[in-house]
Structure formats: C-alpha cells, structure tokens
Amino acid sequence: MGSFFTPLSWHDAPFILTGILNTIYISTVAIIIGTILGLMVGFLRAESNRFTNVLMGGGLDVLRSVPLIIQLILFSTYIGATGHPLDPFVAGSIVLSLYTMAFMSEVFRGGFESVQQPMQVAARSLGLTYWQTVRYIRLPIGMRAVFPSWLGVALSVIKDSALVSVIGYMELLRTSEQLISRTQQPLQILIGVGFFYFLISYPLSLYGKRVEGKMVS
Amino acid sequence: MIEICDVHKSFGDLEVLKGIDLEVKKGEVVSVIGGSGSGKSTLLYCINGIEDIQQGKIVVDEVDVHAKATNQDRLRQKLGMVFQQWNSFPHLTVLENAALAPRIVLKKSKKEATEVARQELTHVGLGDKFDEYPSRMSGGQQQRLAIARALAMKPDYMLFDEVTSALDPELVGEVLDTLRMLRDDGMTMICVTHEIGFAREVSDKVAFFHQGIIEEIGSPEQVISNPCQETTRKFLSKVLH
Ligand SMILES: Nc1ncnc2c1ncn2[C@@H]1O[C@H](COP(=O)(O)OP(=O)(O)O)[C@@H](O)[C@H]1O
Ligand SMILES: [Mg+2]
C-alpha cells in the first residue's frame, strides 16, 4: 500500500481552478449586490434626517465592526438551527454581500454628499426634476469622486471572501487546505494561493491609481 | 409678466421678506440693489419656486408659482437663473453642459439639443470651447457657460443673482457685456447686482432693497441719481465710493 499522502500534481489543476473560479464567483456576487444595496442605503443616508440616520448608522456599524468570520459562523449556525440549512454559497453570499453593503454605503453616501446644494439648485433651476438631478448630476459626479474608495472596498472583499471557507464553501482557500492535508506541501500551495490573490488585486489597484491620477489632473 | 404681490418669506423666526410688491413686464430689465442680507437672493429663489413663501402671491404668466397645482419643474423651464457661483457640471464638456437640460427636460433629440447648445454658446462667445471641460476655463468663461446653459432652455425670463460678484475684477466686463447683449435681444431680466453703474445703464426700473422691503423703486435716474430715501443715499454712497 502506497503512502497516504500524494504530492501535488497536474491532476489537481481542475480542483484548484474550481477554487479560483468560486472565489471570483462569490466575490463578484458580493461586490455587485453590495454595490447596488450600498448605493440605495448610501443615498438614503445622504438624504435622510438625523434620526433615521442614527438608526441606520447603528445597524451598519454592527455589520462593519463585528468580524466577518463571526458573522459567517453566526449566520450559518442560526440558519442551520432553523432546520433549513442553506447551501454554503448562498449563505456566504448573503453575509458577504451585506458586509460589503455596509462599507459601500458609507462610500456612496460620501459621494452623494460631495455634490453640494448649490450645484443641485442650479440643476433644478434648469427644470430638472429631483430624480433627474439625482440621475444626471449627483450620481455621475458623486460616483467619480468616490471611485478609488469603491475599488478599495471591492479589493478587500476579494480577499475577505477567503473567510467564507469556514462555512464550507469550496473557494480557493478551502481547496488549498484540502490539498495541503493530502499533499503535506503547505508552503508551495499557500505561496501559490497568495500569489493568485496578488494577481487579481494588484492590477485592479494599479488601475484605480491611474484613474485617481487622471481625476486629480 | 411676473407679478409679485405682498410676499412674505421667513426662515424659521427670521422674516426675510416683509411684504414685497413688484411687477416685471415682458421685455423689461429690473435691477435689484441693496445691502447684503436684505433678501435679494431670497426673492429670486421665491420667484422660481426654489423657496416657498408664507404670505402673498407670485404669478408668472398667469401661473401662481406656489399654488399646489403648479408644476414647478415645468415653470422653471421658462425661468432661467444664473447664480453668483457658476456651478458648471464638472463631468460634462461645455457643449454637454448646455445640451443636458434641453435633452432630458425638453426631450429633444441629441442632435437638436446639441444644435441649441451650440447656438447659445456661440452667442455668449464660447464658440471655440465646445469640447473643453469647465474646470479648464476662467470664472468669466464659466459664468458665460452658465448663462448659455440657461438660455438653451429658451426661457422667457432670466434671473441673475450677483453673477459678477465672485469674479476677478478683470473678468467682470465680459459677463456684463453678455447681459447687455441679452437686454438688446429683448430678454426680460431681473438682475440682482452690486454693479451700480451697470444697473443705471441697462435698467428700466431699479428697486432698492432694505431689510426685507423695497425701500425705493423707480427709474434709474430717480433711484440711483436722485434717491429720495435716506437709506438709499447711504447705501449708494457706500457702494459708489
Ligand atoms: N436657507 C436659509 N436658511 C436660513 N436663513 C437664510 C437662508 N437663506 C437666506 N437666509 C437669511 O435671509 C437673509 C436674506 O438673505 P439673502 O436673500 O441671501 O440676502 P441678499 O441676497 O440680499 O444678500 C439673511 O439674513 C440670510 O442669513
Ligand atoms: Mg444674495
């Protein structure tokens, strides 16, 4: 009988690829849903009075302050306890999206608030309705202003998505953990995984810097 | 015609307009002068419904500005307004700035909207700046852009709120020239201004505001050259010297 451990080989490529794709998949879902929800919540926060803002702010503060890994475990444990456990992908997407939304909403709120009242009054004086002013003036100007921050949040979501492995989602980190326990080659595998995260994050952050540079000039 | 009858306006406990009566006929140029805080800007904001009023009535071409049934977005299409700050839309080129409202408010085709924008921009002397971004232009150019942007809606009235006050002195002239041109085109205008010489030259009527009321109103000769109120004289001696 051969060794229980088998070294890393090309046969593992599809398995690793699944992990990579799943990481990209869940990050993309969380960034898209988090951005849409964050836009809505950020707009509400920029528009609403102090009282509603304190209420909303409280909820968002909880999402931002409690470590993601705890939110993931709490959520999947709670859902499991109801007797209708969710697929790890679904559960992970829900938690990661809400977590993303909490950060995105602050970013977008700042964007909407960066368009000052006089600019809005000028638009209204041309006959634009409230919603036309939101759509054609506040949204484009505000979003440009906060694009670098948005990208920053998106990048950290890609990295944070590794935590969804704790509830059993087969993303990159979890596939590599399984490979490590089989191959006993943690160093090579973790360096490879780290390199992969670098490979998707770095070009995005370079791109962000370039856009930011363009906006300043 | 713009008819303003006994208009009272307060911000909380602060009564800013204390019974304003003023009539602006088609083709007239009315200048509003007066000290800072006397309520001049507030009156313009009330005329196009950006601010509500507590008492009285403002009627523009038979439409009561503050009546519940009035569509103020609609009404503002015929009331162009230019402010002390030019508020160019920074994400749009000069041409797009001027074409935006015709396109989305008047629902003109892109081609038509661009055509009106070109005409108005050329009219105010920005014919060579279509593709420029506003941030690369001087204050005087941006203020003329703001005027062209308002004109592109083909308004019947123009409201100007100290449009030269934020400009460097050497840029004031080009903007005043633009206003003179509009007067010659026959545009109906209300100009809040500190340029007393300009007001005397272009106005059919000058109204002197003091602490929320019109202290004195009449022809430029009367109000600026021979004021009968002590407050008017004091104000004029302050701004003219
Ligand atoms: N949005 C506002 N809220 C509260 N007070 C205001 C507001 N706008 C203007 N005021 C006050 O109303 C008065 C008249 O202002 P304004 O019409 O801007 O004067 P002017 O244009 O003649 O300098 C000032 O005392 C000003 O502080
Ligand atoms: Mg003012």
Side-chain angles (χ1 to χ4, degrees):
Chain A
M1 195 172 157
S3 166
F4 179 73
F5 302 122
T6 48
L8 203 56
S9 80
W10 281 111
H11 297 298
D12 298 318
F15 186 56
I16 296 174
L17 188 67
T18 313
I20 291 177
L21 288 179
N22 281 347
T23 284
I24 293 175
Y25 188 26
I26 199 165
S27 306
T28 309
V29 166
I31 290 169
I32 290 174
I33 297 179
T35 297
I36 293 171
L37 294 178
L39 257 180
M40 298 197 281
V41 174
F43 179 72
L44 282 178
R45 295 206 72 193
E47 286 297 274
S48 56
N49 58 33
R50 177 165 277 143
F51 177 71
T52 16
N53 247 321
V54 168
L55 284 184
M56 278 195 281
L60 294 168
D61 278 340
V62 170
L63 284 177
R64 279 194 299 266
S65 332
V66 176
L68 179 59
I69 192 162
I70 294 179
Q71 294 185 34
L72 285 162
I73 296 170
L74 271 178
F75 183 75
S76 78
T77 312
Y78 171 78
I79 291 292
T82 63
H84 305 282
L86 285 173
D87 176 71
F89 169 73
V90 177
S93 296
I94 291 173
V95 176
L96 197 57
S97 296
L98 290 177
Y99 183 74
T100 308
M101 176 272 284
F103 287 91
M104 293 291 191
S105 65
E106 272 319 83
V107 168
F108 290 129
R109 175 197 192 176
F112 283 115
E113 286 177 348
S114 76
V115 183
Q116 307 273 310
Q117 194 69 25
M119 179 77 76
Q120 300 178 39
V121 170
R124 297 298 300 277
S125 79
L126 289 169
L128 272 74
T129 63
Y130 174 83
W131 286 109
Q132 286 172 333
T133 306
V134 171
R135 162 74 183 78
Y136 293 98
I137 306 297
R138 299 177 70 186
L139 200 64
I141 298 177
M143 295 318 98
R144 259 158 238 243
V146 299
F147 178 75
S149 320
W150 177 87
L151 193 65
V153 174
L155 285 173
S156 66
V157 169
I158 296 173
K159 287 178 273 185
D160 291 343
S161 73
L163 294 173
V164 181
S165 57
V166 297
I167 59 170
Y169 182 56
M170 270 297 167
E171 46 65 70
L172 185 56
L173 184 62
R174 195 172 169 91
T175 53
S176 59
E177 276 167 350
Q178 295 204 347
L179 284 178
I180 290 169
S181 65
R182 198 202 72 212
T183 63
Q184 293 297 301
Q185 294 173 301
L187 204 59
Q188 293 92 318
I189 291 174
L190 286 177
I191 287 176
V193 168
F195 182 69
F196 166 76
Y197 281 108
F198 177 79
L199 215 61
I200 33 177
S201 302
Y202 190 62
L204 282 177
S205 76
L206 274 187
Y207 172 67
K209 285 214 184 79
R210 224 187 61 200
V211 173
E212 197 173 5
K214 252 197 211 148
M215 286 194 303
V216 172
S217 66
Chain B
M1 185 157 89
I2 300 177
E3 298 156 281
I4 299 166
C5 297
D6 190 33
V7 165
H8 291 252
K9 162 76 189 171
S10 308
F11 291 108
D13 291 337
L14 178 70
E15 192 174 33
V16 175
L17 299 179
K18 302 170 183 164
I20 300 289
D21 291 285
L22 182 67
E23 213 180 83
V24 184
K25 295 197 187 68
K26 263 284 162 69
E28 261 187 338
V29 176
V30 174
S31 289
V32 176
I33 60 174
S36 167
S38 57
K40 307 180 300 294
S41 300
T42 304
L43 180 67
L44 294 190
Y45 280 53
C46 292
I47 293 174
N48 80 358
I50 292 170
E51 291 288 355
D52 56 5
I53 61 178
Q54 275 72 48
Q55 195 185 316
K57 206 169 169 182
I58 299 179
V59 178
V60 176
D61 294 342
E62 328 270 87
V63 177
D64 182 343
V65 176
H66 298 92
K68 275 225 166 62
T70 301
N71 180 343
Q72 292 186 335
D73 293 320
R74 183 75 143 307
L75 183 80
R76 288 190 194 111
Q77 296 174 17
K78 63 158 74 173
L79 291 161
M81 185 156 179
V82 184
F83 306 82
Q84 188 170 335
Q85 279 303 330
W86 28 92
N87 296 307
S88 315
F89 304 138
H91 60 305
L92 302 176
T93 63
V94 167
L95 191 60
E96 289 165 346
N97 260 271
L100 180 74
R103 192 163 59 77
I104 65 176
V105 177
L106 301 179
K107 314 268 186 258
K108 285 183 192 287
S109 70
K110 189 166 180 189
K111 191 163 158 255
E112 281 177 304
T114 309
E115 188 47 41
V116 193
R118 273 178 207 280
Q119 276 169 15
E120 297 303 340
L121 287 167
T122 309
H123 198 41
V124 302
L126 294 175
D128 56 343
K129 298 272 185 248
F130 292 160
D131 298 321
E132 198 69 270
Y133 277 91
S135 60
R136 302 173 62 95
M137 304 202 305
S138 73
Q141 289 170 329
Q142 293 197 57
Q143 196 58 298
R144 285 186 281 142
L145 165 59
I147 295 171
R149 189 170 73 180
L151 291 175
M153 290 296 288
K154 301 290 178 199
D156 296 319
Y157 305 91
M158 286 292 289
L159 313 175
F160 294 99
D161 189 8
E162 293 193 32
V163 292
T164 57
S165 294
L167 291 174
D168 293 335
E170 74 271 19
L171 300 175
V172 168
E174 62 187 68
V175 173
L176 292 184
D177 283 342
T178 308
L179 299 190
R180 286 190 185 95
M181 192 179 69
L182 289 185
R183 187 222 28 208
D184 295 342
D185 294 345
M187 177 58 80
T188 312
M189 316 199 269
I190 302 180
C191 306
V192 172
T193 184
H194 285 305
E195 302 285 336
I196 302 298
F198 171 79
R200 177 160 44 197
E201 172 202 333
V202 306
S203 313
D204 297 300
K205 260 193 293 197
V206 175
F208 171 64
F209 263 56
H210 184 65
Q211 297 179 349
I213 59 163
I214 296 183
E215 189 89 340
E216 193 163 352
I217 182 163
S219 69
E221 293 75 32
Q222 186 192 325
V223 177
I224 297 177
S225 310
N226 298 296
C228 31
Q229 299 290 331
E230 183 56 32
T231 42
T232 319
R233 276 197 285 274
K234 260 201 195 138
F235 171 76
L236 287 171
S237 74
K238 246 190 283 172
V239 293
L240 289 174
H241 300 115

